[in-house]
Amino acid sequence: MNIQEDHTQDIQRLTRMKPYVLGLNVAERYAKYGVVDSRGDVICSETVEIAQWADPTTFVFDICDRLMPMVEKCGGLENLQAMGISATSGNNYTGSIDNPANLSWTGKIPLAKMFEGSLGINVSLRNDATASAMGERAFGAARGLQNFMTVMIDGGLGSGVYVNNHVVTGYNGRVGEIGHVTIFPDGRPCGCGSRGCLERYCSRRGVVTNALEILVGNPDTPSSMRDVPSDQLTLVNVAEAAAQGDALALEALRYTGFLLGKALVPVVSFVNPEAIILCGWVGSLCGKFMQEAILEELNKGLMLQMRWHTQVLVTPLDPEEAPLLYASAEAWDSKKR
């Protein structure tokens, strides 16, 4: 017997959809905001340094002022479906940034409500790692996947998780905080107040520190990274050196992948994903140099029945645009219509 499904609600929802959303990503040093359409095309955007705003209230007012000319170019607020925010230390349930480890702002910042009050449209907020999973599923490497993890490696380190086609948020929105798992009890100090967190070894700054330590430990090995003063070495320098076959740059990224793979073993054992997607600036620029070491450690540490069932993929998204696409995915997914 053929059973015809009732798609009335889906049709009604689609006809209510407006052509654009606003997106805002709040990261360690920069904020990126702009207008995105449902295909994932960035219509217009701008990136600013967060350090110029001492408090979040002024930040909200100024960003709204900067957004309005973009909104007008797209036909005004009536053409906006919603606004989505992806933020470091974001709380998926309250729409706030809570005691951020990587920002100068402190306390609990109700960012979604602040923007909603200023703009008069629906605004929702996700932790940037959770938003990365939503964005990769909508526009990136996770299309068609139902069980996967994103590992967002940037100024910090976090993970977004999908299980059986549903995003996982946890009890208070803190799913995926793998960056603050201690891997070296007396290791590098972390902004969260602990020492030896994974984030201090597998993040933008962590990769550079790994490279500097390897340079010091191998004084007789030539490397193009030595052409840059140690206090000016950047992630891009390391990635470019690795792309040119620089042995010490490749070793720094192999070591980073080794640590990340080892830390992911218990996570993969619990979540059982079909893929891990490396994203963020480190994932985008350096992921291909880390994949082999991550896979090696995963399949060394997992039980026999789980080995070689999880892929390690690298996001295809431009690292400049990805944060905005992740934020826009939250806006398109917003349940308040």
Side-chain angles (χ1 to χ4, degrees):
M1 180 175 66
N2 292 327
I3 300 176
Q4 186 174 8
E5 295 182 7
D6 183 1
H7 293 290
T8 303
Q9 289 186 342
D10 291 339
I11 293 170
Q12 289 174 344
R13 180 176 179 273
L14 286 171
T15 55
R16 289 199 305 269
M17 295 288 275
K18 297 177 181 180
Y20 305 110
V21 295
L22 294 179
L24 167 67
N25 173 254
V26 178
E28 180 182 19
R29 294 176 56 194
Y30 299 98
K32 189 176 184 74
Y33 54 86
V35 180
V36 183
D37 69 17
S38 60
R39 296 187 300 270
D41 292 330
V42 177
I43 307 303
C44 47
S45 67
E46 185 178 6
T47 303
V48 292
E49 290 193 27
I50 292 181
Q52 62 186 292
W53 289 282
D55 66 90
T57 300
T58 307
F59 170 78
V60 170
F61 288 148
D62 286 354
I63 296 301
C64 287
D65 285 343
R66 292 166 182 244
L67 277 170
M68 290 316 297
M70 298 181 182
V71 172
E72 292 305 317
K73 285 182 181 179
C74 296
L77 289 171
E78 59 270 21
N79 279 334
L80 294 179
Q81 178 70 11
M83 178 179 184
I85 303 173
S86 66
T88 180
S89 300
N91 187 312
N92 302 327
Y93 291 110
T94 64
S96 62
I97 295 177
D98 296 344
N99 302 306
N102 297 320
L103 292 175
S104 60
W105 303 335
T106 59
K108 184 174 181 179
I109 305 157
L111 206 62
K113 288 183 180 178
M114 293 167 75
F115 273 100
E116 195 165 81
S118 294
L119 291 171
I121 62 173
N122 176 43
V123 181
S124 56
L125 178 148
R126 292 268 182 181
N127 178 282
D128 54 359
T130 301
S132 74
M134 299 172 67
E136 289 294 332
R137 185 171 182 269
F139 307 116
R143 287 185 176 184
L145 300 182
Q146 296 192 12
N147 294 274
F148 68 92
M149 296 171 51
T150 51
V151 177
M152 188 166 179
I153 322 170
D154 212 311
L157 174 67
S159 179
V161 182
Y162 261 79
V163 173
N164 295 337
N165 215 29
H166 289 87
V167 66
V168 178
T169 55
Y171 166 64
N172 67 349
R174 293 300 180 191
V175 161
E177 291 286 359
I178 59 173
H180 298 289
V181 172
T182 300
I183 57 170
F184 295 114
D186 297 315
R188 302 169 188 168
C190 181
C192 74
S194 296
R195 299 185 70 92
C197 290
L198 181 65
E199 179 173 295
R200 308 323 289 166
Y201 299 83
C202 303
S203 63
R204 188 194 295 247
R205 189 180 305 139
V207 168
V208 172
T209 304
N210 295 343
L212 289 170
E213 290 182 352
I214 286 172
L215 284 170
V216 171
N218 297 270
D220 299 326
T221 304
S223 171
S224 62
M225 293 187 294
R226 299 190 194 278
D227 298 335
V228 183
S230 60
D231 62 345
Q232 296 178 31
L233 190 70
T234 67
L235 176 72
V236 173
N237 298 140
V238 178
E240 288 178 346
Q244 294 165 5
D246 186 297
L248 296 189
L250 289 169
E251 174 58 21
L253 296 176
R254 187 210 65 79
Y255 177 65
T256 305
F258 161 78
L259 293 177
L260 184 57
K262 189 173 285 292
L264 284 172
V265 169
V267 182
V268 171
S269 295
F270 278 109
V271 178
N272 190 208
E274 53 191 307
I276 295 169
I277 299 162
L278 306 178
C279 57
W281 274 95
V282 178
S284 297
L285 297 183
C286 305
K288 63 184 178 181
F289 304 114
M290 298 162 55
Q291 282 172 297
E292 184 176 347
I294 294 171
L295 276 170
E296 183 178 333
E297 289 308 305
L298 275 180
N299 294 303
K300 186 188 299 181
L302 291 170
M303 63 185 293
L304 182 62
Q305 296 91 331
M306 296 187 73
R307 293 177 189 170
W308 306 110
H309 288 288
T310 299
Q311 305 176 75
V312 176
L313 307 175
V314 176
T315 178
L317 300 177
D318 182 333
E320 287 279 4
E321 291 193 347
L324 195 54
L325 294 180
Y326 296 163
S328 75
E330 164 60 21
W332 290 116
D333 190 67
S334 176
K335 299 298 187 295
K336 289 165 62 181
R337 300 300 185 194

